[in-house]
Amino acid sequence: MNDEPENAAKKSPGLLSAVEKKAALKLRARRNATPGVWFGLGMIGLIGWSVVVPTLVGAALGIWLDKHEVGQHSWTLALLMAGLTLGCLNAWHWVAKEDKAMRDEQEDDKQHPPE
């Protein structure tokens, strides 16, 4: 009585392989779900914040330095530009990393297509 599932699998190897293929397809579909509109809006917001935060921190530090250090040059403008540059580099790095991950996943799907 305990050997019934094992005997059934031996009798129908085609059924076992069909179930394995369907399971693999379902797992691949879950992993490669199509992102929706909210996902895209979230990504835009994430990239925006990665630029805005360093820019505002640079501006705030520049304003504080301008109040406490009197000089010929504007710390606010210099640190605002530095923060903006840092934020843009951060966003570029993050987008490049995500793009590489997507391309690697597509390449993997091309090399191992579902049967």
Side-chain angles (χ1 to χ4, degrees):
M1 219 186 247
N2 292 342
D3 296 331
E4 284 181 22
E6 192 174 301
N7 288 336
K10 286 180 184 177
K11 289 180 185 176
S12 58
L15 177 64
L16 182 61
S17 65
V19 169
E20 287 176 344
K21 286 179 185 178
K22 289 221 179 217
L25 284 173
K26 285 184 179 184
L27 289 173
R28 181 171 283 168
R30 280 187 188 159
R31 192 177 66 224
N32 297 331
T34 305
V37 173
W38 291 110
F39 178 79
L41 290 174
M43 288 299 151
I44 291 171
L46 187 73
I47 292 169
W49 280 110
S50 71
V51 174
V52 168
V53 170
T55 303
L56 292 178
V57 168
L61 184 61
I63 290 169
W64 183 82
L65 282 173
D66 279 340
K67 286 183 181 178
H68 290 85
E69 293 289 325
V70 179
Q72 290 179 305
H73 304 289
S74 170
W75 284 106
T76 304
L77 184 59
L79 292 178
L80 178 85
M81 292 305 297
L84 180 62
T85 302
L86 181 67
C88 288
L89 288 173
N90 185 27
W92 174 75
H93 175 72
W94 188 81
V95 168
K97 184 175 137 185
E98 288 296 314
D99 183 52
K100 183 181 182 313
M102 286 173 41
R103 288 178 190 266
D104 289 347
E105 189 174 301
Q106 287 176 350
E107 187 66 31
D108 185 44
D109 286 346
K110 286 180 184 176
Q111 289 178 356
H112 306 289
E115 297 176 7

